[in-house]
Amino acid sequence: DAGVIQSPRHEVTEMGQEVTLRCKPISGHNSLFWYRQTMMRGLELLIYFNNNVPIDDSGMPEDRFSAKMPNASFSTLKIQPSEPRDSAVYFCASSLGGRRYEQYFGPGTRLTVT
Amino acid sequence: DQQVKQNSPSLSVQEGRISILNCDYTNSMFDYFLWYKKYPAEGPTFLISISSIKDKNEDGRFTVFLNKSAKHLSLHIVPSQPGDSAVYFCAASGVTNTGNQFYFGTGTSLTVIP
């Protein structure tokens, strides 16, 4: 298996623009997680899905952030409008399900908002 | 409020010696703990985990110790090798009053000196 795939790997955009990050989880995994990594706060869980259904989105910072999982093999994280403080590395991870299973992380998307 | 804390942002150890990475958590509802290792430009990878019913779990050179009364866990690497140089994240999960929760610490950057 290719592992968790994220695209793009790097994104540079101007403030106010819409940004869409994409994730393909490992086939057979039924939980998917979106994280944001910053120096100050480490890895923050933004949202996670179980069987394509959002279970907990309490980590989503504000209404500018939205996430979807239309099917078991694809998820998006959208920021609209983007702001400079959104600059971070965004990771997607998947697992077999349940919080006792290890999560497999993608390589991340480095987002820079100028 | 940071629910999982790694108070040492960095650690340097001589090759062959023991590396001890520490992690503290605040919520007694957490009952499953994991360590992840992260190399630059890659996503975190799972290293070792421990359930709250245990106080020690060992896997090769890696041992995790859990002290529930102190809400503290540590990762021991013996002997340390240059390839262990990476950022190590501690994570905690549990069912809290807001549902299943996952929290990561801010990470400790380990450098093993040859």
Side-chain angles (χ1 to χ4, degrees):
Chain A
D1 198 311
V4 176
I5 299 172
Q6 289 187 249
S7 64
R9 292 293 308 274
H10 301 274
E11 177 79 40
V12 180
T13 190
E14 291 183 347
M15 183 174 63
Q17 296 298 306
E18 177 180 295
V19 175
T20 299
L21 311 182
R22 297 172 176 80
C23 175
K24 176 178 168 51
I26 292 173
S27 176
H29 283 189
N30 56 19
S31 292
L32 183 139
F33 309 81
W34 281 101
Y35 290 90
R36 177 172 67 177
Q37 182 189 9
T38 61
M39 290 294 292
M40 290 298 294
R41 300 178 67 86
L43 276 165
E44 297 176 272
L45 177 65
L46 300 177
I47 185 172
Y48 79 91
F49 296 84
N50 199 40
N51 293 321
N52 312 337
V53 176
I55 300 300
D56 188 346
D57 65 353
S58 59
M60 298 284 263
E62 42 196 281
D63 292 345
R64 297 184 297 107
F65 286 69
S66 63
K68 293 181 180 179
M69 192 164 185
N71 57 62
S73 60
F74 184 65
S75 177
T76 59
L77 177 68
K78 186 175 292 186
I79 308 172
Q80 165 64 15
S82 57
E83 296 181 3
R85 60 188 167 128
D86 301 331
S87 298
V89 180
Y90 291 80
F91 288 101
C92 174
S94 70
S95 77
L96 284 169
R99 56 193 179 82
R100 291 172 182 267
Y101 288 95
E102 65 182 89
Q103 297 177 26
Y104 293 79
F105 283 77
T109 295
R110 180 174 293 279
L111 173 64
T112 303
V113 183
T114 60
Chain B
D1 185 29
Q2 200 74 18
Q3 299 224 23
V4 176
K5 299 177 184 178
Q6 294 177 256
N7 292 319
S8 298
S10 62
L11 175 69
S12 290
V13 172
Q14 287 289 134
E15 181 178 4
R17 307 294 288 268
I18 183 171
S19 295
I20 300 176
L21 297 98
N22 293 304
C23 178
D24 297 294
Y25 60 97
T26 58
N27 195 327
S28 58
M29 298 297 290
F30 294 148
D31 62 357
Y32 198 68
F33 306 88
L34 309 94
W35 285 93
Y36 285 80
K37 179 168 76 172
K38 184 184 180 303
Y39 292 117
E42 295 182 9
T45 55
F46 170 75
L47 194 56
I48 192 169
S49 63
I50 188 167
S51 165
S52 60
I53 63 172
K54 294 186 174 182
D55 55 18
K56 176 182 174 181
N57 189 25
E58 190 172 354
D59 184 2
R61 297 185 297 113
F62 302 91
T63 302
V64 57
F65 294 92
L66 176 63
N67 182 334
K68 289 185 290 293
S69 60
K71 296 191 183 70
H72 177 85
L73 64 156
S74 61
L75 175 69
H76 292 209
I77 307 173
V78 183
S80 301
Q81 300 173 354
D84 297 328
S85 297
V87 177
Y88 290 78
F89 289 96
C90 164
S93 74
V95 180
T96 68
N97 55 2
T98 55
N100 285 323
Q101 291 294 319
F102 305 83
Y103 292 95
F104 279 78
T106 51
T108 296
S109 179
L110 172 67
T111 301
V112 180
I113 303 164

